[in-house]
Amino acid sequence: MIRDLPPEAPLAMPVQRFDGPPPPDSAPRDVAGAGRAPDDMLARRVILVLLTGVVAVAASTALKEAVLADGLGVGDVVLLATFFPLFALIAFGFINTAIGYILLSTGLHPGFTPVPRWSEPLEGRTAILMPVHNEDIDAVCARLAHMARAIAAAGAAPAFDLFILSDSAPDHEAAERAAWTALSARLECAVYYRRRERNVGRKPGNIAEWLRRFGGAYDYMLMLDADSLMGGRTIIGMAQILDRRADVALLQTVPQVIGAHTLFQRWMQFSSRAYGPASTAGLVWWSGAEATFWGHNALIRVAAFAQSCGLPELPGKPPFGGTIMSHDVLEAALLRRRGWRVHMVMADETFEEYPPTMIDAAVRDRRWAQGNLQHLGLLHASGFHWINRLQLLLGAAGYLASPLWLLLIAVSVVLAVRGDQGLLSDNASGTVLAVTLALLFGPKLMGVIHVVRDAPRRHALGGGRAILRSVAVDVPLSILAAPTIALTQTIELFGIARQRRAEWHPQNRSSDGLTLAEIMPRYRWHVGAGAVLLLLSPLMPVAAAWLAPVTLGWLLSPMLVRWTASEAAGRWAATRRVFVTDEGVRDLQPGAGSVAEPSVR
């Protein structure tokens, strides 16, 4: 007989406070090295921050000399005040990637590797949690079946239970129960199903409800999203790491994009494979035990999470108050506040899907923007590690950068029309703007060099010619898409500021293309802004030349969205060996042997 749910095993999950004295540490102290950072971790972080500051100050000084040559005006003040934080942000990303590239090139970091497995059996029991909200349940169950079979093939099925935690509408329940029943009948792992009548607290509330009812029976929980897929050896290896490392509460993997069909998905899939490893290696290098949490494809110590991560309602009304929308990075900070260690591992068998169109990506981005802006009110939270505060700030800054870039462009246009080239003067254009372009495109160049030099990765991306062909398409697409994305984010931020809250609707995971009638309501402002720049071009020829990619990107944004949303365009790219990737899903089977344990110092 198939049971919906196991016997309840209640676990307390107290609601945390962000003010007052920080709670005492609770991570075990009887483990060698527990709670102690590597001797050089502070030095790593100081190097990263100092290099970022030096580059940003140098560029801002050069800009100041250029724009103040004819005196100081209001526009010049705005340029200087806006430029420094923006330049610091891109400098930070470049230096992080450069460090990662050096680590990968010298072999100091192995890159994406199998998670190690040892001969001893697992000590802890793991619940694999799959929250769903009006999803394609057959696709979800297919992914769960793949993971469960890989675990069973390794002889570890008794240590794992699967939970489908539904927040779907009532009319989805029959299909979900039928899929769950069929799945349960063919797997060795136990599979349970629960649908909540009321969707309280979105995904964090879904997980909290499970923890308070069943968490006491499990040592670890594997947090997934509906589009997540992980290899059996990766899951088992991560559980063995937590068995051995009693002070580690969370292992966050770096999912690779799979399941690409539209041109947009293929483009993002290639970009993540080609440019992602260097950036991620740099992130692992300096984050240490204060790594972030992305909400899925992560293994978590149940007792630590329940003790540390009960989320309160924020004071005030939405969108800045109410339910915490971007919960994951806060949960990582709350774990570290209690003394638990949070680490990131670059495992090679962890995957997720990507939104099929630029519109779907923007809808998801809008939710993240609101959630990340909520974090600005929590930078003062008691007991947070300064690295966790930096992560909260960087998350919000990534969205605030868009209106700042547009402000920079707008001020430059006004000055140029008045005859003052400002940022686009000859002196500035020869130095600051050139350095800016180098910092923006340098990470892509380092990514290409790395994958071309790495034979297995080069082969997985179609070979050297296919990689160069893909980059030749990626660069102009990125140039055209960047101003479009920036304006989209700015429009959404204005909506958030006007108290228009984001709704958490089910994510669209497939597309058969978009019509211009569907696209234009969202991109009419982009076309209008491009038309304004085009009309002003005769009045500012130098500025118009520099801003041509922005003007062209906005004017062509509807066509870009439509073309990249097409599966036919995706197939066209594949037949021409553009954006080729070997997804590696066929290799998702338990394998013999392993490499050295990923650094979780």
Side-chain angles (χ1 to χ4, degrees):
M1 178 180 175
I2 299 175
R3 296 185 55 182
D4 287 31
L5 292 166
E8 294 200 5
L11 182 65
M13 189 174 185
V15 174
Q16 303 298 305
R17 295 186 57 174
F18 294 117
D19 58 355
D25 289 358
S26 58
R29 297 296 165 184
D30 57 348
V31 180
R36 188 177 70 246
D39 295 336
D40 63 343
M41 187 55 68
L42 178 60
R44 297 181 188 185
R45 294 163 175 174
V46 170
I47 289 171
L48 181 67
V49 173
L50 283 180
L51 286 176
T52 299
V54 167
V55 173
V57 168
S60 298
T61 301
L63 175 64
K64 182 183 71 173
E65 294 175 355
V67 301
L68 298 186
D70 57 350
L72 180 66
V74 175
D76 298 324
V77 173
V78 175
L79 281 178
L80 293 173
T82 306
F83 182 81
F84 180 81
L86 289 174
F87 201 88
L89 196 61
I90 63 172
F92 184 92
F94 175 85
I95 293 167
N96 173 82
T97 302
I99 291 171
Y101 172 74
I102 293 171
L103 294 172
L104 295 176
S105 299
T106 57
L108 295 175
H109 193 289
F112 289 93
T113 59
V115 170
R117 289 179 54 203
W118 295 276
S119 58
E120 63 265 26
L122 291 171
E123 298 175 6
R125 295 191 67 220
T126 300
I128 299 177
L129 306 183
M130 178 67 85
V132 296
H133 182 209
N134 301 339
E135 302 285 349
D136 179 350
I137 194 61
D138 291 331
V140 168
C141 287
R143 286 186 278 271
L144 283 174
H146 196 109
M147 291 182 274
R149 285 170 180 155
I151 291 170
F160 292 86
D161 291 347
L162 280 62
F163 286 82
I164 300 172
L165 304 178
S166 174
D167 270 335
S168 300
D171 57 354
H172 284 253
E173 182 172 7
E176 289 178 350
R177 283 192 171 275
W180 159 68
T181 301
L183 181 68
S184 301
R186 63 180 191 265
L187 296 182
E188 292 185 38
C189 299
V191 186
Y192 301 107
Y193 171 82
R194 186 271 287 132
R195 190 184 75 83
R196 291 198 300 171
E197 295 294 332
R198 295 178 60 241
N199 184 351
V200 178
R202 300 186 176 89
K203 181 179 177 180
N206 196 354
I207 300 302
E209 193 265 0
W210 177 86
L211 281 165
R212 292 185 172 110
R213 291 182 62 190
F214 307 103
Y218 298 93
D219 299 282
Y220 318 128
M221 58 182 183
L222 181 68
M223 190 83 76
L224 300 175
D225 266 354
D227 59 356
S228 296
L229 179 66
M230 296 181 68
R233 64 177 179 176
T234 294
I235 296 170
I236 295 170
M238 291 169 68
Q240 289 182 321
I241 290 175
L242 291 193
D243 280 348
R244 289 186 165 208
R245 296 294 304 272
D247 58 332
V248 175
L250 190 149
L251 289 175
Q252 174 65 65
T253 67
V254 184
Q256 301 178 70
V257 178
I258 58 168
H261 298 287
T262 67
L263 180 63
F264 181 66
Q265 288 175 316
R266 289 183 181 274
W267 175 22
M268 294 299 103
Q269 183 171 274
F270 172 83
S271 297
S272 72
R273 300 295 176 87
Y275 313 135
S279 176
T280 302
L283 180 61
V284 171
W285 179 77
W286 64 264
S287 59
E290 289 78 36
T292 193
F293 174 37
W294 291 331
H296 57 92
N297 293 52
L299 189 67
I300 304 169
R301 193 176 299 275
V302 167
F305 193 88
Q307 176 195 51
S308 309
C309 298
L311 296 179
E313 290 280 310
L314 295 180
K317 297 180 179 180
F320 299 107
T323 300
I324 294 174
M325 299 192 69
S326 292
H327 56 93
D328 35 23
V329 65
L330 273 178
E331 288 161 346
L334 290 168
L335 283 169
R336 194 65 185 118
R337 183 173 73 166
R338 285 275 187 174
W340 295 99
R341 301 168 73 84
V342 177
H343 287 280
M344 183 173 291
V345 291
M346 292 175 66
D348 66 346
E349 293 183 346
T350 173
F351 303 94
E352 64 175 340
E353 295 180 359
Y354 204 83
T357 72
M358 290 179 66
I359 289 179
D360 291 303
V363 170
R364 185 181 70 172
D365 219 32
R366 200 259 190 238
R367 300 193 301 261
W368 288 352
Q370 180 175 325
N372 285 11
L373 290 181
Q374 282 181 321
H375 295 167
L376 292 176
L378 299 174
L379 292 175
H380 69 284
S382 62
F384 279 5
H385 193 282
W386 72 272
I387 288 294
N388 294 126
R389 297 185 201 276
L390 177 62
Q391 290 162 346
L392 293 172
L393 180 61
L394 288 174
Y399 291 98
L400 294 175
S402 290
L404 288 180
W405 276 116
L406 295 183
L407 177 61
L408 201 66
I409 291 173
V411 172
S412 299
V413 168
V414 171
L415 292 176
V417 170
R418 293 170 50 190
D420 180 0
Q421 297 300 321
L423 177 62
L424 303 170
S425 67
D426 292 339
N427 291 334
S429 63
T431 54
V432 177
L433 293 177
V435 173
T436 301
L437 292 175
L439 294 182
L440 288 172
F441 290 98
K444 289 182 181 288
L445 178 60
M446 287 183 278
V448 170
I449 294 173
H450 170 62
V451 297
V452 169
R453 292 178 57 189
D454 186 317
R457 191 169 294 277
R458 182 176 68 247
H459 176 73
L461 296 180
R465 291 185 179 179
I467 291 172
L468 295 179
R469 194 179 299 118
S470 299
V471 172
V473 177
D474 163 67
V475 170
L477 281 180
S478 298
I479 292 173
L480 292 175
T484 297
I485 294 170
L487 183 52
T488 298
Q489 290 182 343
T490 301
I491 293 170
E492 296 296 352
L493 288 176
F494 274 108
I496 293 171
R498 293 172 57 196
Q499 306 293 303
R500 197 176 76 233
R501 62 183 297 178
E503 296 299 330
W504 209 276
H505 297 298
Q507 182 174 310
N508 183 28
R509 305 189 191 278
S510 62
S511 172
D512 56 359
L514 295 169
T515 65
L516 285 177
E518 295 172 305
I519 295 169
M520 284 307 299
R522 289 178 173 269
Y523 290 90
R524 63 185 186 277
W525 291 105
H526 304 68
V527 176
V532 169
L533 287 183
L534 187 63
L535 292 173
L536 292 176
S537 296
L539 304 178
M540 49 171 199
V542 175
W546 278 109
L547 294 174
V550 177
T551 304
L552 196 60
W554 284 340
L555 288 174
L556 296 180
S557 57
M559 301 308 300
L560 180 65
V561 172
R562 185 181 184 186
W563 183 48
T564 56
S566 168
E567 289 193 12
R571 291 191 293 271
W572 172 88
T575 58
R576 286 158 179 78
R577 307 290 289 169
V578 173
F579 300 147
V580 176
T581 58
D582 177 7
E583 295 185 352
V585 178
R586 60 180 175 270
D587 298 324
L588 276 176
Q589 299 295 336
S594 63
V595 299
E597 178 178 354
S599 174
V600 291
R601 297 185 297 167

